[in-house]
Amino acid sequence: MIKKQYKHIAVLQEEAINGLNIKPNGIYIDGTFGTGGHSKLILNKLNKNGRLIVIDRDPEAIKIAKSIKDRRLVIKQGLFSDIINYIKKKELIGKINGILLDFGISSSQLDNPERGFSFTFDGPLDMRMDQTKGQTASQWLMNANVNDIIFVLKTFGEERLCKRIAKAIIEHKNNPKKKPLTRTKHLTNLILKTIPKYTKKHPATRTFQAIRIYINNELEEIKQMLNGTLNILAPQGRISIISFHSLEDRLVKHFIRKNSKLLNIPINIPLTKFQIEQLSLKTIQLRDLGKIKPSYKEIKNNPRSRSSILRLAEKINNGYKKI
């Protein structure tokens, strides 16, 4: 059976690539290959000595990557936090000129009912980025208690009605006359009965987001990758990161701010003003290059881009001067 191809439109493409300030002979990482939109643009800016390392945990994404015949391309399947160990093994610590991360779920994943990511289509309640590993969303729900579900919906979905939804799921599971929650439509219909009214957002939006993030350990992955970037980036190396909801963006924003602030030295420490300034500057590891949101035109052409935020930062060395 031939699988249907689902078109994905990468958001903030030009802004994300331009933000990397690509050197033709540099070494770059696309930590979320997806369908390759960003990777192809990076390759177009590299000369024959440049190199692009791509990673994705989704086997379907790896198949797409392998279809690109380019000797400058290095392909790795796995979690994007795994790239840090790969860089260490290849002795490329401090030599990476730029890292691009796009945390959004691709349209090829979202629009494929068999992946179970969307409440819009009916399909297996799966939600795994890599369908060869780990438990499905359905398996987790079957074994989770009410407190587990409340925690996940509140922590990863910021769902105000998490208790009401969790109790409805448990009541459904405990009713032998009800079908098990094995399909996306089962969970969606249950949520609609629990929260029947909505305006802008579908009632199932936050629940599906929360379970997906939990099943794939997405936030912990982001934390590990961010912490590793400071070691693997070369001086003046850049990070270009696209987030799609507040939880992701908050992690990126706090990471950049934390590593771009002057050291807060107590006033009673016996140091001269010059010594304090020099010591403070040496603690700074990033220069915040700001954030970019999609234009009206992009949102009109691709409504899924409306919640995206691109944040850029540059690694600096001890010779950095205030500007």
Side-chain angles (χ1 to χ4, degrees), residues 44-63:
N44 288 339
K45 290 182 175 287
L46 297 177
N47 62 25
K48 63 179 182 179
N49 297 315
R51 200 184 325 172
L52 175 63
I53 303 166
V54 303
I55 187 167
D56 204 295
R57 69 166 84 177
D58 191 331
E60 294 300 318
I62 294 301
K63 287 180 183 178

Side-chain angles (χ1 to χ4, degrees), residues 47-284:
N47 62 25
K48 63 179 182 179
N49 297 315
R51 200 184 325 172
L52 175 63
I53 303 166
V54 303
I55 187 167
D56 204 295
R57 69 166 84 177
D58 191 331
E60 294 300 318
I62 294 301
K63 287 180 183 178
I64 296 172
K66 288 181 177 178
S67 70
I68 302 173
K69 305 303 178 184
D70 193 316
R71 66 177 185 81
R72 300 169 300 170
L73 185 66
V74 178
I75 303 166
K76 300 292 294 180
Q77 181 177 354
L79 305 171
F80 55 62
S81 62
D82 291 344
I83 203 70
I84 299 166
N85 291 327
Y86 175 79
I87 296 302
K88 288 179 181 178
K89 289 178 183 178
K90 295 298 180 180
E91 298 182 347
L92 292 173
I93 294 293
K95 297 179 182 179
I96 303 301
N97 300 107
I99 301 170
L100 186 146
L101 298 169
D102 180 350
F103 296 143
I105 185 170
S106 73
S107 295
S108 58
Q109 294 170 321
L110 194 63
D111 293 342
N112 183 352
E114 294 304 309
R115 303 303 299 270
F117 288 115
S118 176
F119 49 78
T120 305
F121 312 105
D122 180 39
L125 192 56
D126 194 314
M127 296 196 192
R128 291 171 298 170
M129 296 291 187
D130 181 351
Q131 291 183 301
T132 68
K133 296 178 181 178
Q135 64 179 338
T136 66
S138 176
Q139 289 169 337
W140 175 70
L141 284 173
M142 287 179 183
N143 296 309
N145 60 41
V146 67
N147 290 327
D148 293 333
I149 298 170
I150 290 171
F151 172 80
V152 168
L153 300 192
K154 183 178 180 179
T155 305
F156 303 121
E158 298 180 314
E159 174 57 73
R160 293 185 301 105
L161 301 174
C162 55
K163 291 182 180 179
R164 189 187 299 181
I165 296 171
K167 289 178 181 177
I169 291 172
I170 295 300
E171 287 175 6
H172 181 96
K173 288 200 303 176
N174 292 337
N175 188 336
K177 297 180 180 179
K178 299 286 186 179
K179 291 182 179 179
L181 295 172
T182 59
R183 309 281 298 180
T184 54
K185 74 171 183 179
H186 296 160
L187 180 58
T188 302
N189 290 340
L190 177 61
I191 295 170
L192 285 172
K193 290 177 182 178
T194 308
I195 315 172
K197 295 181 180 180
Y198 65 97
T199 52
K200 290 183 179 180
K201 283 189 176 181
H202 190 286
T205 301
R206 295 185 183 277
T207 296
F208 270 68
Q209 172 190 300
I211 296 174
R212 190 203 79 219
I213 290 174
Y214 175 76
I215 290 294
N216 295 288
N217 198 28
E218 292 177 31
L219 297 187
E220 190 58 36
E221 274 294 295
I222 292 173
K223 290 177 186 176
Q224 290 184 40
M225 184 63 183
L226 289 175
N227 290 333
T229 59
L230 293 176
N231 290 325
I232 66 180
L233 278 175
Q236 285 76 57
R238 292 190 175 188
I239 53 175
S240 180
I241 304 177
I242 301 171
S243 303
F244 284 82
H245 56 73
S246 60
L247 294 173
E248 296 170 340
D249 182 59
R250 204 174 296 146
L251 289 175
V252 178
K253 179 176 67 175
H254 289 172
F255 169 77
I256 293 175
R257 286 184 178 177
K258 175 184 175 183
N259 291 288
S260 60
K261 280 186 177 180
L262 290 171
L263 185 65
N264 185 18
I265 300 176
I267 58 175
N268 295 326
I269 299 296
L271 294 172
T272 66
K273 183 179 178 181
F274 176 79
Q275 288 174 323
I276 291 174
E277 185 179 68
Q278 292 302 305
L279 184 59
S280 295
L281 290 175
K282 288 182 180 180
T283 65
I284 299 175

